[in-house]
Amino acid sequence: MTVRDDAFVGQIITPLRRYIPVGWFDWEPYGKRPKSWWPDLFMFLGFLALAFFVSYPSWLVRLDIEVRLWAVDANDVEWLANIAKGGAEFGQARTVATVTLLIAIWCALRSRSIRPLLMYVISFITLASILGMKHLLGRPLSQHPFALFKVSPEGPLLFTYHPEGGGPNIVDATAFPSGHAVNSILLFGLIVMLIGHVIPAWARWTLLIAPPVIVFCSQVFLGQHWLSDEPAGFLLGLIIIRMAKRVPWHTIPLGPLSVFDPATRRTILISVLLILGVMLTPTLHLVPALIAAAVLPTLGLIWLWLSTKAKQHRDALEAAEAEAAGLDGREAGSEDPGIPSQPSDTHPRG
């Protein structure tokens, strides 16, 4: 005989709640909701100021060039370069996003809810807008500074759409802002929101502070970005994570997705497969990426439709069973021989 998940929770887990710390099963994102929008506004204005100063040959562009030329000589120290390459992974989406997804899966399985996965997906999708911004602003990358100077003597300015982003030997012009910097703020911030309740305070602060510092030092040392690309990415990452904290993920109405709440292991597995497909789409070539972008949402909508129909069918059966049980109870009560409904006509008169 099989035992349903809800029966297991009701009979085994629920009585144990009194002995287990609050929040162990009922997931809730860690962190207080920001009270003011003013910091967000100032950070966005700071980002615009950085963008302005790298749109013409300003002092900031000259500083970027000087720091980059220093990094050319600094990279000769091989052991430092190897350490920096490892540090740059703290901002690499394929690494940190995978770890964050695994933590979100653990939270979803523990709480039997798709809400941790929903928070991860919606927050992670904002990175796509950052990628579009990088292409729109069109600042050449810093990996080939000497080739860049031949085609852009004024330096790495925004909207510098030379062939292939700055010359025949330079890849797409997508330097500003730094995606690694955004990732180091957003993804580690999501990790703290996911498991902040079950880790000590020193671990939370380490996750929030150490990765951005390591990414900044590593990328500037390796010359993977201009100096000003990093603070621009940090500002955008802070704005996004503060917006994520404003959403009450543990209570927000799920709408049509409520059919998946509470979530079974199969629901979580299918959700993860769809999420992985979305994460892999940007790594594909144009035609496969367009196909995946069309197929994956379609599959998700079909799954939602089938799940909704299945739930409606189950609800109809349960309602029919409850109605039948009520009728049977009323019939049994009206035919009880132990309680006469009226005085007997055959009773002798005195």
Side-chain angles (χ1 to χ4, degrees), residues 73-117:
D73 297 328
N75 284 331
D76 292 339
V77 183
E78 185 176 356
W79 65 272
L80 277 177
N82 291 332
I83 293 176
K85 291 177 183 178
E89 286 296 316
F90 283 93
Q92 184 62 261
R94 65 169 177 262
T95 303
V96 186
T98 302
V99 174
T100 309
L101 177 59
L102 292 175
I103 295 174
I105 294 171
W106 178 72
C107 292
L109 289 172
R110 192 186 70 177
S111 61
R112 298 179 67 243
S113 173
I114 63 170
R115 293 177 182 274
L117 296 174

Side-chain angles (χ1 to χ4, degrees), residues 260 295-309:
F260 300 126
V295 170
L296 289 173
T298 302
L299 292 176
L301 291 174
I302 293 174
W303 177 40
L304 175 60
W305 179 76
L306 292 176
S307 300
T308 303
K309 290 296 183 182

Side-chain angles (χ1 to χ4, degrees), residues 2 16 68 169 191 206 256 271 275 281 284 295-296 304 323 341:
T2 60
L16 292 177
R68 179 65 186 95
N169 299 319
I191 290 176
T206 301
S271 301
I275 292 171
T281 297
L284 304 175
V295 170
L296 289 173
L304 175 60
E323 184 178 358
S341 58

Side-chain angles (χ1 to χ4, degrees), residues 59-334:
W59 62 270
L60 186 56
V61 173
R62 292 193 296 270
L63 178 62
D64 285 340
I65 295 174
E66 292 176 2
V67 172
R68 179 65 186 95
L69 294 179
W70 164 82
V72 172
D73 297 328
N75 284 331
D76 292 339
V77 183
E78 185 176 356
W79 65 272
L80 277 177
N82 291 332
I83 293 176
K85 291 177 183 178
E89 286 296 316
F90 283 93
Q92 184 62 261
R94 65 169 177 262
T95 303
V96 186
T98 302
V99 174
T100 309
L101 177 59
L102 292 175
I103 295 174
I105 294 171
W106 178 72
C107 292
L109 289 172
R110 192 186 70 177
S111 61
R112 298 179 67 243
S113 173
I114 63 170
R115 293 177 182 274
L117 296 174
L118 185 64
M119 185 186 77
Y120 172 84
V121 169
I122 295 180
S123 301
F124 183 78
I125 286 177
T126 57
L127 294 178
S129 63
I130 302 298
L131 181 60
M133 180 184 300
K134 290 158 67 74
H135 281 278
L136 179 64
L137 294 176
R139 191 185 197 191
L141 294 177
S142 59
Q143 280 84 342
H144 307 280
F146 301 109
L148 170 64
F149 297 149
K150 294 179 181 179
V151 295
S152 181
E154 295 181 333
L157 308 182
L158 296 185
F159 313 111
T160 308
Y161 296 106
H162 296 294
E164 299 185 7
N169 299 319
I170 303 176
V171 296
D172 293 342
T174 57
F176 188 90
S178 168
H180 281 64
V182 177
N183 294 338
S184 66
I185 295 288
L186 174 60
L187 294 177
F188 283 96
L190 288 178
I191 290 176
V192 172
M193 289 180 67
L194 286 166
I195 59 172
H197 291 290
V198 296
I199 60 176
W202 66 265
R204 293 195 295 268
W205 283 108
T206 301
L207 289 172
L208 293 175
I209 296 175
V213 173
I214 293 173
V215 167
F216 176 83
C217 297
S218 298
Q219 290 211 295
V220 173
F221 179 82
L222 293 172
Q224 293 180 348
H225 269 284
W226 308 104
L227 177 66
S228 57
D229 297 339
E230 301 298 320
F234 293 146
L235 290 173
L236 289 182
L238 287 170
I239 292 173
I240 296 172
I241 198 65
R242 282 174 60 86
M243 292 177 64
K245 287 183 177 181
R246 287 186 167 90
V247 180
W249 298 103
H250 59 298
T251 58
I252 188 172
L254 295 178
L257 297 180
S258 59
V259 69
F260 300 126
D261 195 41
T264 63
R265 287 183 291 272
R266 183 180 65 177
T267 297
I268 295 173
L269 173 61
I270 297 176
S271 301
V272 170
L273 292 177
L274 291 174
I275 292 171
L276 290 175
V278 172
M279 292 174 61
L280 293 175
T281 297
T283 66
L284 304 175
H285 293 292
L286 179 60
V287 174
L290 292 175
I291 294 174
V295 170
L296 289 173
T298 302
L299 292 176
L301 291 174
I302 293 174
W303 177 40
L304 175 60
W305 179 76
L306 292 176
S307 300
T308 303
K309 290 296 183 182
K311 187 177 186 304
Q312 291 174 349
H313 180 67
R314 291 195 302 270
D315 291 344
L317 289 178
E318 291 176 359
E321 292 176 357
E323 184 178 358
L327 290 175
D328 292 343
R330 287 194 295 271
E331 292 177 358
S334 62

